Amino acid sequence: MRTSKFLFISLILIALSLFGEVKAQQDATTASTTSSSGTTAQGEEREAKKEPKIVVVKDQGLALGIDLSPFIIRAVKDERTGFCVVGRYGVRNRWFAAAEVGFEHIKYAKKNYDYKSNGSYVRIGMDYDIFNSEDAPTNDNVFVGLRYAYAWQQHESGKFTIVDDYWGDYEGSVGKTSVNSHSVDLLGGIRCEMLRNLYMGWTFRCRFLLASKHSDDLKPYAIAGYGNYDNKVAIGFSYTIEYQIPFNKLGKKK
């Protein structure tokens, strides 16, 4: 009889213990669900209060100017004389259409050879401004770009001498012939607003000669707006002064 009572009391205690564990698990699950719901609600509230992204819109307009690099080249290499005008138009924020038009006169003379060329060139392409400052809005640009260039020129050799100890020297000349050339510029540079609407900037260029059509009688010494013909890859630079007519002003957009 005593054994039966002991077993009965033991079963009651075990049942109460199991009931307590189940209750504790239910309470923990409820608390976790409530906490998760509260966290989600707080996250959604913060997301709703998050400010929209601010985009700085720079002055857009038409800019016209000149490239000073031909004058610098003239000071270093007196056989090359040139002039170049540049234009830039803001297509949309951070995108610019660009064009460059110029001419170049080349006069090169050595003991056994002289060369003259008068040519013009045009470059067209796009620039992308990678500089965007939200804290201090500015019209300055740090850009990368691409140009396609086409050059046409007339060149000639007034005299040349072929030295041959066996047959004797031969002297001759080549009259004016045409040269048409195609090249591509990959470039990067900076452009700063020095005064209101007045910009100055420099550009570093890597030029690739795609094709050049010329007479077999005379190979070009240099290509207008490109550089030496023998260099299939040429390094160049530009230093520009521009005045921009703005169509809209510097500001911020949400």
Side-chain angles (χ1 to χ4, degrees):
M1 184 69 176
R2 289 180 180 177
T3 304
S4 300
K5 288 182 179 180
F6 178 76
L7 290 173
F8 179 76
I9 293 171
S10 298
L11 290 173
I12 291 175
L13 291 175
I14 291 172
L16 290 174
S17 176
L18 292 173
F19 177 78
E21 291 180 3
V22 171
K23 181 65 175 175
Q25 290 179 359
Q26 290 178 346
D27 292 341
T29 303
T30 303
S32 176
T33 304
T34 303
S35 175
S36 177
S37 300
T39 303
T40 303
Q42 291 177 359
E44 291 177 351
E45 184 178 356
R46 284 197 298 268
E47 187 69 24
K49 291 181 179 179
K50 186 178 179 181
E51 295 183 359
K53 183 179 179 181
I54 297 175
V55 178
V56 176
V57 179
K58 303 184 181 183
D59 285 2
Q60 299 292 299
L62 176 65
L64 297 173
I66 62 171
D67 182 1
L68 300 179
S69 63
F71 303 105
I72 300 173
I73 293 173
R74 170 66 178 175
V76 178
K77 298 181 178 180
D78 59 2
E79 71 264 18
R80 297 175 62 180
T81 303
F83 183 79
C84 180
V85 296
V86 298
R88 181 190 302 264
Y89 179 76
V91 178
R92 56 179 299 179
N93 191 37
R94 304 178 74 175
W95 284 98
F96 299 86
E100 305 164 18
V101 180
F103 74 87
E104 188 171 49
H105 173 70
I106 300 168
K107 185 177 181 181
Y108 182 78
K110 288 292 185 179
K111 180 179 179 181
N112 299 325
Y113 178 81
D114 68 26
Y115 179 86
K116 292 180 183 179
S117 170
N118 287 294
S120 301
Y121 58 89
V122 59
R123 306 186 190 110
I124 56 174
M126 296 289 293
D127 291 337
Y128 178 69
D129 183 8
I130 61 176
F131 179 55
N132 187 29
S133 175
E134 297 178 4
D135 298 330
T138 173
N139 282 320
D140 297 342
N141 309 124
V142 179
F143 59 89
V144 293
L146 177 70
R147 300 282 190 278
Y148 161 74
Y150 174 68
W152 62 99
Q153 62 197 84
Q154 294 280 335
H155 68 161
E156 62 181 311
S157 176
K159 70 169 184 177
F160 64 86
T161 302
I162 300 175
V163 178
D164 191 316
D165 294 335
Y166 182 78
W167 296 104
D169 297 346
Y170 173 79
E171 294 184 355
S173 64
V174 178
K176 290 183 179 180
T177 58
S178 299
V179 181
N180 297 279
S181 305
H182 306 266
S183 61
V184 168
D185 289 12
L186 297 179
L187 55 90
I190 61 174
R191 179 173 176 264
C192 300
E193 188 176 30
M194 308 304 294
L195 299 172
R196 187 59 182 159
N197 299 327
L198 182 65
Y199 291 80
M200 298 182 71
W202 62 264
T203 304
F204 176 81
R205 299 168 181 262
C206 188
R207 295 171 173 153
F208 301 89
L209 184 62
L210 302 179
S212 182
K213 185 178 179 181
H214 56 83
S215 170
D216 294 336
D217 295 333
L218 183 62
K219 183 179 74 172
Y221 166 70
I223 295 173
Y226 175 83
N228 289 348
Y229 171 78
D230 289 336
N231 297 332
K232 301 308 178 184
V233 178
I235 302 301
F237 74 96
S238 300
Y239 188 78
T240 58
I241 299 178
E242 305 171 23
Y243 181 81
Q244 179 167 300
I245 306 170
F247 297 154
N248 67 282
K249 301 296 184 180
L250 178 70
K252 291 185 177 183
K253 262 186 190 177
K254 291 185 178 180

